[in-house]
């Protein structure tokens, strides 16, 4: 019987200004979700735009799955969290976000990554 995958928290700190890094982060998160892992995605800085309705950047990378296709299943599971301060600096509110994503503070991130067996990756 295969082992249950460890819970994973992927923190994404970049957006369209670093398309390969951003796409890699979303690819890892979506792949882990497809493998049956419990996945959380924490968005900071310019990465918050991935969770904003009608503002999601198109990374336009050749040989890569379009980022919207990677984001969708994670949003559907409620895995996507936007940093409170980052949202405030961009004048974003919960109403601006995709259904299934939410805004939360650093304590939420810390609580999650300090849980037993959680693997945190930062991109």
């Amino acid at each position: 019987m295969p082992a249950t995958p460890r819970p994973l928290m992927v923190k994404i700190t970049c957006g369209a200004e670093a398309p390969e890094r951003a796409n890699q982060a979303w690819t890892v998160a979506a792949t882990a979700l497809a493998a049956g892992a419990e996945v959380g995605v924490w968005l900071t800085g310019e990465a918050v735009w991935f969770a904003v309705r009608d503002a999601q950047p198109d990374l336009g990378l050749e040989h890569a799955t379009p980022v919207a296709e990677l984001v969708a299943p994670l949003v559907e599971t409620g895995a996507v969290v936007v940093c409170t301060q980052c949202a405030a600096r961009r004048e974003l509110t919960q109403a601006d976000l995709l259904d299934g994503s939410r805004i939360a503070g650093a304590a939420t991130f810390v609580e999650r990554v300090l849980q037993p067996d959680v693997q945190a990756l930062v991109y």
Side-chain angles (χ1 to χ4, degrees), residues 1-105:
M1 175 178 231
T4 303
R6 291 172 59 182
L8 178 66
M9 174 60 82
V10 179
K11 182 176 185 180
I12 306 175
T13 63
C14 59
E17 78 285 0
E20 287 184 298
R21 188 163 35 115
N23 188 269
Q24 182 64 28
W26 284 109
T27 299
V28 167
T31 301
L33 183 67
E38 177 187 335
V39 179
V41 177
W42 186 266
L43 303 177
T44 66
E46 290 300 297
V48 303
W49 295 109
F50 290 113
V52 177
R53 186 179 290 109
D54 300 323
Q56 207 171 68
D58 175 8
L59 299 178
L61 290 174
E62 290 184 38
H63 312 292
T65 301
V67 74
E69 292 178 28
L70 299 170
V71 172
L74 291 148
V75 169
E76 288 172 14
T77 66
V80 178
V81 180
V82 172
C83 162
T84 301
Q85 291 180 20
C86 300
R89 282 190 281 275
R90 290 158 181 82
E91 299 181 358
L92 299 171
T93 67
Q94 185 65 47
D96 297 311
L97 301 184
L98 297 167
D99 292 340
S101 57
R102 64 190 174 99
I103 296 172

